[in-house]
Amino acid sequence: MTSNVYKVTDMQSVQEAAALMSEHNIGSLPVVDQNGTMVGIITDRDITLRTTAQGEAAQTPVSQVMTAQQVVQGTPEMDAHEAAQLMAQQQIRRLPIVENGQIVGMVALGDLAVDNQLGNEAGQALSNISNPSDPQK
């Protein structure tokens, strides 16, 4: 798990989110409200499909394009096997780790892949993630 998690607020612009992703070479950011409570997640794909492709302005607030409903979250008590299984079931590449509403870490598929003991779980997760699913609206 990565514990130094970059995040954006729901009122920041998608341009600010994209710049932060570019600066740190990451593909998603947890979104927090003014109290630091996680309220969603925004990915580079969200920015591309829900902003750029729709002709929206770069100053569009993150809250208008983020995934807010049904954001899958893990807990600090989960072990890596449980996290990998959840990621596979939910077809997600990144799992925010949340405690008391606050983001405390992020598990990425790459984190699992580099651990020799978790190679099978990472492969299974990737296999499930790669299955086609309906696009989010």
Side-chain angles (χ1 to χ4, degrees), residues 5-136:
V5 179
Y6 298 100
K7 51 192 167 264
V8 292
T9 68
D10 52 357
M11 296 311 298
Q12 284 183 269
S13 71
V14 293
Q15 183 177 20
E16 291 173 292
L20 194 57
M21 288 180 196
S22 176
E23 178 182 346
H24 298 288
N25 194 30
I26 53 178
S28 70
L29 294 165
V31 181
V32 298
D33 64 15
Q34 62 214 22
N35 299 318
T37 301
M38 186 172 164
V39 295
I41 193 162
I42 187 164
T43 67
D44 47 8
R45 183 172 170 83
D46 292 332
I47 293 170
T48 300
L49 299 179
R50 297 180 184 165
T51 306
T52 309
Q54 301 300 317
E56 297 291 332
Q59 294 308 310
T60 299
V62 165
S63 61
Q64 292 185 17
V65 298
M66 69 182 188
T67 300
Q69 288 117 10
Q70 300 176 344
V71 174
V72 179
Q73 302 174 2
T75 66
E77 294 77 33
M78 290 180 125
D79 65 26
H81 298 282
E82 292 171 309
Q85 187 175 36
L86 181 59
M87 292 168 73
Q89 289 170 347
Q90 297 296 319
Q91 292 186 303
I92 57 173
R93 296 175 188 273
R94 301 164 194 96
L95 179 66
I97 305 301
V98 178
E99 184 173 40
N100 299 321
Q102 306 289 309
I103 183 85
V104 295
M106 184 78 79
V107 175
L109 188 57
D111 296 330
L112 302 174
V114 297
D115 187 324
N116 289 334
Q117 296 179 3
L118 299 172
N120 290 337
E121 283 86 350
Q124 183 62 44
L126 181 57
S127 176
N128 288 349
I129 291 165
S130 299
N131 285 330
S133 63
D134 293 330
Q136 292 182 351

